[in-house]
Amino acid sequence: MEMFRSMTGFMAANQSLVLPANNACLRLGDTFTNNATFTPQQDIYKDLVRVSWSETTWKEPACIFVPRTTSEVQGAMSILAEEEAGFGVRSGGHMPIAGAAMADNEVLIDMSRFTDIEYTSEHNKVVIGTGLRWQNVYDYLDQYGVTVVGGRVLDVGVGGLILGCGLSYLSESYGLACDNVVNFGVVLADGSTVNANEYSHRDLFWALKGGSNNFGIVTSFTLRTYPIQKVWGGTRVIGWDRVDDFLDAMVAYETAPERDELASVNINLAATNDTIILTLVYLKPVESPAAFSVFDGFEPLLDTTGIKTLTELMSEFLTPPIPRIRFHAMTVKPTQELTAVIKDVMLHSPHMQTIRAATAGTCAFSWQPISAHLVEAGQRTNDGGGNALGLEAVAQSWFHIDLRWWRAEDDAVVTAAAEGMYAEIEAAAKKQGSHLPYLFMNDAHEGQDVLASYGEDSAKRMREVQEHYDPHRVFERKMAGAFKLPSA
């Protein structure tokens, strides 16, 4: 404890102003003597900062607090509120946004020790801690032959994905990850705890389905489970010389009046690498299902499709080891006209040359086809009156630009290039009447007003929930976070 005090004193003495966070760090170290609070003078501090996925998110918190229990989170919230200290909350740290989960000279609450998990077969439910990664969840559930509507990338954290919406390979059948939560365990700004579900705190239950971390710290999620294990699917890599025909096939798939609800497609046009990456998933072990026949005419350069467990399939999708990452999200109606504009940007925009010139600069244009059935499935599955997302039940593409590069010196030019391409595509979509307001939080960047994109009615209702559960707006004023509630 004396060692902690001396380090905290050193930290405060070397700043021109004693920040409220420094006092909070000292009190956290005094209150929780189980080696839960770490400062910049400790070796583990740097490792904890670097847990976050993209180097663009790395900051220098005043200290990092790693609670083990809900009562420790409660105690920490009381201290932070009393000190009026800024703080951030991190589940898996996968969101590539500066300030999403931590900020300089503030307290980072790292939830990585909330890793309890318990499956109840009688109720087809599983309770999962917010500090788990989806790999942990799927590995645990595989022994029971069930799965959940969860993340598609195994290293992603549970908390951020669900609170942001959560798109899954099960979503066409069962809706989004947030639609499949039956209970949130939440620590509120005043340090109290509640269970939010269809019977208790229904307003908070609704708001947490897409409302991110604006209402409290979620410590656990109870999810429905489904008896799915063996599936068919994998990845096909297709040559860039087929890009014209492939884009036609993609639009045909997206606009088909009927889509098989067991089928999911994810498409990445890796423009800087001249490859098309097509991911196919069918939720039954059926060889070469007819649902994907529109893509059968493309001879792949690489094909991993086959019958395997869903977890094995997802383990094939490895994240490129490029340290700086940025996303730009957009929702559009799939049309040949807009696809032609996007193709022209991919092939001819001078911004693409800027990205290629950056060290390890890569750019992919990604399509995530969303059917009207997916939105309706979420509405049917959902307990407690739906979610906060304001989705229209129409065929749509959750489109995003995915950028990666190596050096911090390239941040400004890569960001400007991305924004230039995005603006061109967005303007075309609006002019053509194919633009939709919704922004998929899990693929958005900090400059996008995600919660406002849900619509005025949703925004007003979320403000009412905030007023009820956090009347002093602690989470709005003091918590780092990428997406705040829109102004009244």
Side-chain angles (χ1 to χ4, degrees):
M1 182 52 58
E2 288 305 315
M3 178 181 177
F4 178 85
R5 282 182 170 278
S6 65
M7 288 188 291
T8 307
F10 176 86
M11 173 179 63
N14 281 270
Q15 296 186 21
S16 59
L17 178 67
V18 177
L19 299 171
N22 292 338
N23 289 334
C25 289
L26 182 59
R27 289 184 60 188
L28 289 168
D30 280 343
T31 304
F32 305 103
T33 58
N34 55 356
N35 195 30
T37 308
F38 304 95
T39 64
Q41 288 69 40
Q42 295 170 278
D43 292 339
I44 192 174
Y45 170 94
K46 184 176 292 187
D47 294 335
L48 289 171
V49 166
R50 292 179 176 180
V51 165
S52 291
W53 183 45
S54 173
E55 288 185 11
T56 59
T57 69
W58 293 359
K59 299 290 184 181
E60 295 186 6
C63 65
I64 301 174
F65 178 61
V66 189
R68 292 171 170 82
T69 65
T70 297
S71 63
E72 290 185 354
V73 178
Q74 292 178 269
M77 283 306 305
S78 296
I79 290 171
L80 292 167
E82 290 167 9
E83 296 293 342
E84 279 283 303
F87 64 98
V89 183
R90 181 175 68 191
S91 169
H94 204 79
M95 184 170 281
I97 294 176
M102 69 172 93
D104 290 330
N105 301 317
E106 295 186 350
V107 178
L108 170 60
I109 302 176
D110 179 328
M111 300 294 289
S112 59
R113 287 175 174 163
F114 280 73
T115 56
D116 287 347
I117 181 167
E118 183 177 3
Y119 170 62
T120 307
S121 59
E122 311 90 86
H123 301 110
N124 300 316
K125 305 287 192 302
V126 62
V127 182
I128 58 178
T130 195
L132 289 165
R133 308 290 178 113
W134 289 107
Q135 173 89 58
N136 310 130
V137 177
Y138 298 139
D139 285 347
Y140 171 84
L141 291 176
D142 277 347
Q143 65 185 309
Y144 301 106
V146 300
T147 192
V148 292
V149 181
R152 298 168 297 174
V153 178
L154 296 180
D155 192 47
V156 169
V158 161
L161 181 126
I162 295 177
L163 294 175
C165 161
L167 184 59
S168 165
Y169 292 123
L170 279 66
S171 289
E172 285 287 341
S173 294
Y174 304 111
L176 301 162
C178 66
D179 295 323
N180 284 270
V181 179
V182 296
N183 187 76
F184 298 91
V186 190
V187 176
L188 300 176
D190 63 3
S192 64
T193 63
V194 298
N195 284 300
N197 51 58
E198 67 171 315
Y199 306 108
S200 175
H201 304 286
R202 286 171 59 92
D203 52 351
L204 180 60
F205 185 51
W206 171 86
L208 289 169
K209 297 176 184 179
S212 191
N213 54 3
N214 286 289
F215 309 100
I217 299 177
V218 177
T219 58
S220 68
F221 304 84
T222 304
L223 302 178
R224 295 180 184 84
T225 63
Y226 299 98
I228 295 170
Q229 191 168 42
K230 287 283 187 177
V231 302
W232 179 92
T235 297
R236 292 175 179 169
V237 179
I238 298 166
W240 196 250
D241 60 316
R242 300 299 310 278
V243 67
D244 285 327
D245 293 336
F246 184 86
L247 289 172
D248 290 340
M250 181 187 76
V251 174
Y253 179 86
E254 291 184 288
T255 56
E258 296 291 334
R259 290 225 302 262
D260 190 330
E261 66 186 51
L262 299 178
S264 289
V265 169
N266 192 22
I267 297 163
N268 285 277
L269 274 68
T272 50
N273 301 93
D274 295 336
T275 54
I276 300 165
I277 303 168
L278 172 64
T279 300
L280 306 170
V281 179
Y282 196 75
L283 297 180
K284 285 186 177 179
V286 176
E287 287 283 3
S288 302
F292 304 124
S293 60
V294 70
F295 300 113
D296 287 347
F298 299 94
E299 186 68 27
L301 305 174
L302 172 70
D303 188 350
T304 71
T305 57
I307 293 174
K308 59 196 81 174
T309 69
L310 184 57
T311 306
E312 289 170 341
L313 186 152
M314 289 187 285
S315 70
E316 297 176 5
F317 311 142
L318 302 178
T319 302
I322 303 176
R324 308 187 75 79
I325 303 157
R326 185 176 178 88
F327 297 153
H328 287 249
M330 187 186 308
T331 298
V332 297
K333 297 176 183 177
T335 67
Q336 293 284 4
E337 293 77 13
L338 183 62
T339 303
V341 172
I342 296 173
K343 175 194 166 189
D344 186 64
V345 170
M346 284 192 299
L347 298 181
H348 304 300
S349 172
H351 296 304
M352 290 296 296
Q353 298 307 317
T354 300
I355 294 166
R356 287 189 178 98
T359 303
T362 64
C363 179
F365 293 75
S366 299
W367 278 263
Q368 297 166 127
I370 305 296
S371 69
H373 184 274
L374 184 154
V375 178
E376 292 163 351
Q379 293 168 349
R380 287 193 301 272
T381 302
N382 224 315
D383 294 327
N387 59 45
L389 304 172
L391 291 171
E392 297 181 47
V394 298
Q396 55 197 272
S397 299
W398 290 0
F399 169 79
H400 76 275
I401 303 174
D402 181 332
L403 298 119
R404 297 161 197 257
W405 66 101
W406 202 270
R407 299 166 58 228
E409 292 85 346
D410 292 325
D411 286 1
V413 293
V414 171
T415 297
E419 290 174 348
M421 291 189 296
Y422 184 94
E424 186 175 345
I425 296 168
E426 182 183 46
K430 289 181 176 179
K431 182 177 180 180
Q432 295 172 7
S434 58
H435 185 269
L436 291 171
Y438 172 72
L439 293 169
F440 178 36
M441 184 182 295
N442 299 134
D443 286 344
H445 72 81
E446 67 275 13
Q448 299 188 284
D449 199 350
V450 169
L451 297 183
S453 80
Y454 299 175
E456 291 183 8
D457 290 344
S458 182
K460 179 176 182 292
R461 189 174 171 188
M462 285 190 288
R463 277 290 187 194
E464 291 169 353
V465 174
Q466 179 192 54
E467 183 64 27
H468 184 189
Y469 292 94
D470 185 11
H472 301 295
R473 298 190 176 184
V474 172
F475 283 89
E476 178 178 302
R477 296 183 300 106
K478 293 299 181 181
M479 188 190 67
F483 306 112
K484 298 294 187 181
L485 297 181
S487 300

